Amino acid sequence: SSLQRKCFRNLPPRNFGFHRSNSFSITSSALATASAAYQHDIDRRSKWLCSVAEHYLAGLVREARGEPNDYKSAVNHYNRLLSLARVKLDHRHPYICALLERRGAVLFEQQKLQCSMLSYLACLKILEHQQATGSNVFNKADLARVLYGIARVLHDKEDYLDALHTYQRALACQRDLAAGSSRPTLDVITTLCNISRVHHLMGDIDAALVANQEVLQLATILVCGKMDHPFLINRLKIEGNILVEAGRVEDAMRTFIEAARRCCDIGRDRMIN
């Protein structure tokens, strides 16, 4: 209508030009901050990976060589990376757990048993914490391996009761891991050998013989019934020696005769000697 046209004519003109608001500056600043943070994270990760290559991998190589000077160098590499990791990472980080385990293993080879024990126990504490919080970083195989390492240290320290308890904890984990297999595992057999040895050292002859009998049964399955396998013959010799110490001479003679029967002609004299 004419009245509406007059009203619109009297309105001030609209400015349809682009107004630059503060949002553009805020977005640009946030982007710059995020880019800087990302670059810092990349740099941090790169430095960490370089440190891993320099110390952890070098430590593994030195450890694998197995010479006294190599063990010393491996411990130094692990210690340097641990010092860095404890600054950059949480003290319960899986990386620190892995480093502590490796250091404990090398210290054991050096027969620095107390230091090895401390390293293994710190590793176990982190591992159990990770599992308690629902983390799937570590599994039962990791727990079994660390427990076995601790048991070996206790064994060498002649702390036989604690060693036996820890071996049994490791064995329980190993049995669980092997439950789905039709064949026994070497880990189970090895741990049972050590359990038999500890029982023997503690004077519990019956328990030592029971553990050794299970070793023989599982090992026979593992070697597919090859009765003349050197490991089986050696375990029979060990059983015979235990029986001799227990005063069961007749049983010992039967065991030695069985071991001799399984030997080939070439190795029989050497076995008896």
Side-chain angles (χ1 to χ4, degrees):
S1 67
S2 60
L3 179 60
Q4 288 176 334
R5 286 195 297 272
K6 289 178 181 179
C7 289
F8 280 118
R9 281 199 298 270
N10 293 330
L11 288 175
R14 293 184 180 180
N15 185 359
F16 291 100
F18 176 73
H19 287 282
R20 181 169 177 169
S21 66
N22 290 333
S23 62
F24 181 82
S25 299
I26 293 170
T27 303
S28 299
S29 177
L31 181 61
T33 302
S35 299
Y38 177 77
Q39 186 61 45
H40 174 74
D41 185 61
I42 292 296
D43 292 342
R44 181 177 61 83
R45 289 172 184 267
S46 298
K47 290 178 181 177
W48 171 252
L49 290 175
C50 288
S51 297
V52 169
E54 181 181 358
H55 297 301
Y56 185 68
L57 297 181
L60 289 176
V61 171
R62 293 287 189 175
E63 182 182 347
R65 288 177 180 172
E67 297 295 329
N69 287 337
D70 291 317
Y71 284 140
K72 183 178 179 181
S73 178
V75 170
N76 289 336
H77 279 297
Y78 294 148
N79 282 337
R80 290 180 67 181
L81 191 55
L82 268 170
S83 298
L84 180 64
R86 283 175 170 141
V87 173
K88 294 184 174 294
L89 306 172
D90 182 79
H91 280 233
R92 292 174 173 175
H93 197 281
Y95 289 166
I96 293 178
C97 184
L99 284 167
L100 288 168
E101 181 187 355
R102 295 287 10 110
R103 187 179 69 174
V106 176
L107 290 168
F108 174 80
E109 295 297 336
Q110 293 179 303
Q111 284 298 285
K112 296 180 179 179
L113 300 180
Q114 188 61 32
C115 293
S116 176
M117 176 61 69
L118 292 173
S119 195
Y120 269 129
L121 289 176
C123 170
L124 180 63
K125 186 174 181 180
I126 296 172
L127 197 154
E128 289 178 334
H129 169 77
Q130 291 285 341
Q131 291 186 331
T133 56
S135 172
N136 60 357
V137 174
F138 298 110
N139 55 32
K140 191 164 285 188
D142 298 311
L143 179 60
R145 190 178 60 252
V146 173
L147 287 170
Y148 180 80
I150 293 171
R152 285 199 312 162
V153 177
L154 291 166
H155 190 158
D156 276 25
K157 289 180 68 177
E158 299 182 0
D159 191 349
Y160 297 132
L161 189 60
D162 286 341
L164 180 61
H165 173 69
T166 312
Y167 276 136
Q168 288 169 341
R169 285 186 64 191
L171 181 63
C173 294
Q174 292 165 349
R175 288 190 194 278
D176 287 345
L177 291 166
S181 174
S182 59
R183 288 169 58 83
T185 66
L186 189 59
D187 287 340
V188 170
I189 293 171
T190 302
T191 303
L192 280 168
C193 287
N194 288 329
I195 287 174
S196 177
R197 177 61 178 161
V198 172
H199 277 306
H200 182 199
L201 291 169
M202 293 174 66
D204 193 346
I205 300 300
D206 290 338
L209 291 172
V210 168
N212 193 63
Q213 279 297 315
E214 187 174 2
V215 169
L216 286 167
Q217 292 168 8
L218 295 177
T220 300
I221 297 171
L222 192 63
V223 300
C224 302
K226 188 178 179 182
M227 305 303 287
D228 59 347
H229 193 282
F231 178 79
L232 296 177
I233 295 170
N234 182 61
R235 294 312 301 184
L236 284 171
K237 288 173 61 180
I238 290 171
E239 182 173 317
N241 290 330
I242 294 173
L243 289 167
V244 168
E245 290 184 25
R248 295 165 57 179
V249 179
E250 291 184 3
D251 291 337
M253 286 303 299
R254 279 193 292 269
T255 303
F256 285 133
I257 290 169
E258 174 62 20
R261 186 183 64 79
R262 295 186 185 190
C263 286
C264 63
D265 292 337
I266 296 174
R268 184 173 297 153
D269 292 339
R270 184 172 66 251
M271 191 281 298
I272 294 174
N273 291 334

Coordinates of all heavy atoms in Angstrom, one line a residue, residues 101 127 131 138-148 170 173-174 177 187:
E101 N 61.7 -54.9 34.6 CA 61.8 -56.3 34.4 C 63.2 -56.7 33.8 O 63.9 -57.6 34.2 CB 60.7 -56.9 33.6 CG 60.8 -58.4 33.4 CD 59.7 -58.9 32.4 OE1 58.9 -58.1 31.9 OE2 59.8 -60.1 32.1
L127 N 52.7 -53.9 37.6 CA 51.9 -54.9 36.8 C 50.6 -55.2 37.5 O 49.6 -55.2 36.8 CB 52.8 -56.1 36.6 CG 52.3 -57.1 35.5 CD1 53.5 -57.9 35.0 CD2 51.3 -58.1 36.0
Q131 N 46.7 -54.3 36.2 CA 45.6 -55.3 36.2 C 44.5 -54.9 37.1 O 43.3 -55.1 36.7 CB 46.2 -56.6 36.5 CG 47.2 -57.2 35.5 CD 47.6 -58.6 35.8 OE1 47.7 -59.0 36.9 NE2 47.9 -59.4 34.8
F138 N 49.0 -55.6 30.1 CA 49.7 -56.8 30.6 C 48.7 -57.9 30.7 O 47.5 -57.7 31.0 CB 50.4 -56.6 31.9 CG 51.4 -55.5 31.9 CD1 51.3 -54.3 32.5 CD2 52.6 -55.7 31.1 CE1 52.2 -53.3 32.5 CE2 53.6 -54.7 31.1 CZ 53.4 -53.5 31.8
N139 N 49.2 -59.1 30.5 CA 48.3 -60.3 30.6 C 48.9 -61.3 31.6 O 49.9 -61.1 32.2 CB 48.1 -61.0 29.2 CG 49.4 -61.3 28.5 OD1 50.4 -61.6 29.2 ND2 49.4 -61.2 27.2
K140 N 48.3 -62.5 31.7 CA 48.7 -63.5 32.6 C 50.1 -64.0 32.3 O 50.9 -64.4 33.2 CB 47.7 -64.6 32.7 CG 47.9 -65.6 33.8 CD 46.7 -66.5 34.1 CE 45.6 -65.7 34.8 NZ 44.5 -66.5 35.2
A141 N 50.5 -64.0 31.0 CA 51.8 -64.5 30.6 C 52.9 -63.5 31.2 O 54.0 -64.0 31.6 CB 51.9 -64.5 29.1
D142 N 52.6 -62.2 31.2 CA 53.5 -61.3 31.8 C 53.7 -61.5 33.3 O 54.8 -61.5 33.8 CB 53.1 -59.8 31.5 CG 53.0 -59.5 30.0 OD1 54.0 -59.8 29.3 OD2 51.9 -59.0 29.6
L143 N 52.6 -61.7 33.9 CA 52.6 -62.0 35.4 C 53.4 -63.2 35.7 O 54.2 -63.2 36.6 CB 51.1 -62.1 35.9 CG 51.0 -62.3 37.4 CD1 51.6 -61.2 38.2 CD2 49.5 -62.5 37.8
A144 N 53.1 -64.3 34.9 CA 53.8 -65.5 35.2 C 55.3 -65.4 35.0 O 56.1 -65.9 35.8 CB 53.3 -66.6 34.2
R145 N 55.7 -64.6 34.0 CA 57.2 -64.4 33.7 C 57.8 -63.6 34.8 O 59.0 -64.0 35.3 CB 57.3 -63.7 32.4 CG 58.7 -63.6 31.9 CD 58.8 -62.9 30.6 NE 58.3 -61.5 30.6 CZ 57.2 -61.1 30.1 NH1 56.4 -61.9 29.4 NH2 56.8 -59.8 30.2
V146 N 57.2 -62.6 35.3 CA 57.8 -61.8 36.4 C 57.8 -62.6 37.7 O 58.8 -62.5 38.4 CB 57.0 -60.5 36.6 CG1 57.5 -59.7 37.8 CG2 57.1 -59.6 35.4
L147 N 56.8 -63.3 38.0 CA 56.8 -64.2 39.2 C 57.9 -65.2 39.2 O 58.5 -65.5 40.2 CB 55.4 -64.8 39.4 CG 54.2 -63.9 39.8 CD1 52.9 -64.7 39.7 CD2 54.4 -63.5 41.3
Y148 N 58.1 -65.8 38.0 CA 59.1 -66.8 37.8 C 60.5 -66.1 38.1 O 61.4 -66.7 38.7 CB 59.1 -67.4 36.5 CG 60.2 -68.4 36.2 CD1 60.0 -69.7 36.7 CD2 61.3 -68.1 35.5 CE1 61.0 -70.7 36.5 CE2 62.3 -69.1 35.3 CZ 62.1 -70.4 35.8 OH 63.1 -71.3 35.6
A170 N 53.6 -68.7 40.0 CA 53.9 -68.6 38.6 C 53.4 -69.9 37.9 O 52.8 -69.8 36.8 CB 55.5 -68.6 38.4
C173 N 49.7 -69.6 37.0 CA 49.4 -68.8 35.8 C 49.8 -69.6 34.6 O 49.1 -69.5 33.6 CB 50.3 -67.5 35.9 SG 49.8 -66.3 37.2
Q174 N 50.9 -70.3 34.6 CA 51.4 -71.0 33.5 C 50.4 -72.2 33.1 O 50.1 -72.4 32.0 CB 52.7 -71.6 33.7 CG 53.8 -70.6 33.8 CD 55.1 -71.1 34.4 OE1 55.2 -72.2 35.0 NE2 56.2 -70.3 34.3
L177 N 47.4 -70.7 31.3 CA 47.8 -70.3 30.0 C 47.8 -71.6 29.1 O 47.5 -71.5 27.9 CB 49.1 -69.6 29.9 CG 49.1 -68.2 30.5 CD1 50.6 -67.7 30.7 CD2 48.4 -67.2 29.6
D187 N 57.4 -74.0 29.8 CA 57.4 -73.2 31.0 C 56.9 -74.0 32.2 O 57.5 -73.9 33.3 CB 56.5 -71.9 30.8 CG 57.1 -70.9 29.9 OD1 58.4 -71.0 29.7 OD2 56.4 -70.1 29.3

